[in-house]
Amino acid sequence: MGILRAILKHPEDIYPLLKLKVAARYAEKQIPSQPHWAFCYIMLHKVSRSFSLVIKQLPVELRDAICIFYLVLRALDTVEDDTSVATEVKVPILMSFHRHVYDREWHFSCGTKDYKVLMDQFHHVSTAFLELGKHYKEAIEDITMRMGAGMAKFIYKEVETVDDYDEYCHHVAGLVGLGLSKLFHASGKEDVASDSLCNSMGLFLQKTNIIRDYLEDINEVPKCRMFWPRQIWSKYVDKLEDLKYEENSVEAIQCLNEMVTNSLSHVEDCLTFLSTLRDPAIFRFCAIPQVMAIGTLAKCYNNIEVFRGVVKMRRGLTAQVIDRTRNMADVYGAFFDFSCILKSKVEYKDPQVAKTLKRLEVILRTCKNSGTLNKRKSFVIKSGPNYNSTFVVVLVVLVAILLGYQSGNRT
């Protein structure tokens, strides 16, 4: 009933959701036959379903390199995230992880669920890594080494200032942007982008995740994870965990809004980076997560649910973003729409109102100046089409029958 209710409320989601489902089915059939590559692509799908869909459109050689790059860094992140691993054990692993990728026998048991499987059977990832081209391996090794060292540094150091926050996000995400640019260049399809633009691409995504995942991180057992900078949250509460308590709701919202405002400072660089890409598949691969990030920030801004549960874009809207993000006109349009949504939620009593509005105006002006806003469909549905509910129900039933038929044929 929940799915049907959502479709009745947003019938414009039906077609993109169907296309996404078909794409997911197709991706499942494209798993390589070699055991180590099969493991890598199956694991990629399990630890990041949306990423595994976007990556499928890339050329095979580049797709394989990025798949391994992602899994190596995901494994590194699993070591960092596991708060049950003692510091004296964790830090040497982080510092030497770039060498472990060359060892077909190495593995380290940590993490939970699919992440534990990834770590326990990491030899599959190493085997696949060793089959990559020389330039791909060098880029992955370099970024893994630098990221591991940065993570190790912040095992001992808390995120105190906004500069610390930017540095931490650089180590865990900005370097990913630099690494991807190197991989694109190694494939011969793109020029190497400037470090600052690559860094902003990573920081915008990472800061969005840190904001969205506040409750999950603060409730981590046996030890909470704290990535929000003290320089920001200490203006509002004595301890970071105090933001989740109902009696601090006003302060929590104000702190949240300042965190979102901080993230918006990276948008201009992200749009500049995306505008330089030439290859359509690489463009979509890079653009879709950025559009998802601005959509998530629009959802999180001024939203107390960030401190109560999970806040994310609805599945149908995610499907629309994946389906409709194909060129810079689509990107400018999406950033314009989601920035308008965010702006509509700004309250003039908020302490950061002037800074928030200033950053939003810069984004909106950049999108308007692109001259492309009239060339795409809006994500802001002001007066949706008048779908007959019976028609929608019949369509949903037909879709279910079609997918069931395809599933039966596959087995």
Side-chain angles (χ1 to χ4, degrees):
M1 288 300 293
I3 296 176
L4 181 58
R5 191 180 302 114
I7 289 175
L8 288 172
K9 187 175 181 181
H10 299 283
E12 69 277 6
D13 292 348
I14 297 174
Y15 181 61
L17 279 169
L18 178 58
K19 287 185 69 175
L20 190 62
K21 187 70 174 177
V22 171
R25 291 284 178 85
Y26 178 77
E28 290 173 8
K29 295 179 181 180
Q30 303 305 304
I31 301 297
S33 58
Q34 304 98 314
H36 51 290
W37 283 108
F39 174 85
C40 290
Y41 277 101
I42 291 170
M43 191 53 55
L44 180 68
H45 181 72
K46 288 183 177 180
V47 298
S48 181
R49 190 166 297 179
S50 58
F51 186 85
S52 69
L53 287 174
V54 177
I55 198 178
K56 286 294 182 182
Q57 66 195 304
L58 295 172
V60 174
E61 181 184 288
L62 179 58
R63 181 174 71 210
D64 286 347
I66 292 178
C67 173
I68 299 308
F69 183 50
Y70 183 91
L71 290 177
V72 168
L73 298 188
R74 176 57 68 185
L76 183 67
D77 187 60
T78 300
V79 176
E80 184 212 19
D81 282 350
D82 194 332
T83 55
S84 68
V85 178
T87 298
E88 60 270 21
V89 175
K90 179 181 293 188
V91 170
I93 294 175
L94 294 174
M95 295 293 290
S96 60
F97 207 91
H98 63 288
R99 291 194 291 271
H100 294 316
V101 297
Y102 286 94
D103 184 355
R104 296 176 191 267
E105 305 299 323
W106 186 86
H107 67 276
F108 178 72
S109 186
C110 66
T112 60
K113 300 178 180 177
D114 291 325
Y115 300 101
K116 186 177 188 307
V117 176
L118 172 64
M119 298 305 298
D120 287 342
Q121 300 187 47
F122 192 76
H123 62 279
H124 288 305
V125 180
S126 298
T127 300
F129 168 80
L130 291 171
E131 294 181 1
L132 298 176
K134 179 175 180 288
H135 295 305
Y136 291 131
K137 286 189 289 190
E138 288 175 347
I140 293 172
E141 179 187 2
D142 175 59
I143 297 301
T144 304
M145 178 182 67
R146 294 163 66 182
M147 184 179 293
M151 287 178 169
K153 177 179 179 178
F154 277 89
I155 296 297
Y156 298 108
K157 175 183 175 64
E158 291 190 1
V159 180
E160 295 284 346
T161 66
V162 172
D163 285 343
D164 291 340
Y165 183 44
D166 286 344
E167 183 186 356
Y168 173 77
C169 290
H170 165 73
H171 290 311
V172 302
L175 287 173
V176 178
L178 271 67
L180 286 172
S181 183
K182 288 185 176 185
L183 295 178
F184 298 155
H185 180 65
S187 74
K189 294 186 176 297
E190 298 288 350
D191 296 327
V192 176
S194 74
D195 286 1
S196 61
L197 294 182
C198 295
N199 190 57
S200 286
M201 289 282 286
L203 262 63
F204 187 56
L205 297 181
Q206 183 65 21
K207 289 184 176 183
T208 299
N209 291 340
I210 286 174
I211 291 167
R212 182 199 62 198
D213 295 341
Y214 165 84
L215 194 63
E216 177 185 343
D217 289 337
I218 209 70
N219 289 337
E220 179 73 19
V221 176
K223 182 182 178 182
C224 67
R225 293 178 291 178
M226 297 189 290
F227 302 119
W228 291 32
R230 183 186 297 271
Q231 184 178 344
I232 290 180
W233 62 256
S234 63
K235 299 176 188 178
Y236 305 100
V237 287
D238 294 329
K239 295 182 292 185
L240 182 57
E241 58 264 37
D242 290 345
L243 293 173
K244 68 181 180 179
Y245 300 124
E246 191 171 348
E247 60 267 25
N248 297 321
S249 294
V250 172
E251 293 81 3
I253 285 292
Q254 291 175 346
C255 183
L256 168 65
N257 292 348
E258 183 168 353
M259 289 288 290
V260 172
T261 300
N262 172 275
S263 302
L264 295 175
S265 64
H266 304 291
V267 169
E268 281 186 280
D269 277 353
C270 294
L271 293 174
T272 300
F273 177 95
L274 293 173
S275 69
T276 66
L277 296 175
R278 300 189 301 262
D279 185 87
I282 290 176
F283 174 82
R284 275 175 50 79
F285 172 80
C286 294
I288 289 171
Q290 300 295 324
V291 174
M292 293 290 295
I294 189 66
T296 300
L297 290 180
K299 184 80 173 175
C300 288
Y301 185 84
N302 217 39
N303 188 349
I304 195 62
E305 289 304 310
V306 170
F307 305 97
R308 304 288 184 265
V310 179
V311 174
K312 57 184 180 180
M313 292 168 56
R314 73 178 189 274
R315 197 174 172 191
L317 185 54
T318 297
Q320 286 194 56
V321 168
I322 293 173
D323 183 47
R324 287 163 46 182
T325 305
R326 301 188 177 277
N327 52 50
M328 274 309 296
D330 299 327
V331 170
Y332 284 127
F335 270 82
F336 183 85
D337 288 345
F338 288 124
S339 295
C340 285
I341 292 172
L342 204 160
K343 185 179 179 181
S344 71
K345 298 169 70 175
V346 175
E347 297 180 352
Y348 283 88
K349 62 183 179 181
D350 188 272
Q352 296 293 312
V353 60
K355 185 179 290 186
T356 306
L357 290 176
K358 182 178 180 179
R359 288 187 175 165
L360 286 171
E361 285 303 325
V362 169
I363 297 169
L364 293 171
R365 184 167 59 250
T366 299
C367 295
K368 287 178 182 177
N369 290 345
S370 72
T372 63
L373 293 185
N374 62 340
K375 299 179 181 179
R376 92 302 169 215
K377 295 179 181 178
S378 174
F379 284 105
V380 183
I381 308 297
K382 295 183 174 65
S383 57
N386 185 24
Y387 289 91
N388 180 279
S389 60
T390 303
F391 167 76
V392 173
V393 171
V394 170
L395 183 57
V396 170
V397 171
L398 289 174
V399 168
I401 292 172
L402 175 62
L403 293 176
Y405 175 76
Q406 290 180 338
S407 178
N409 280 349
R410 197 169 71 255
T411 56

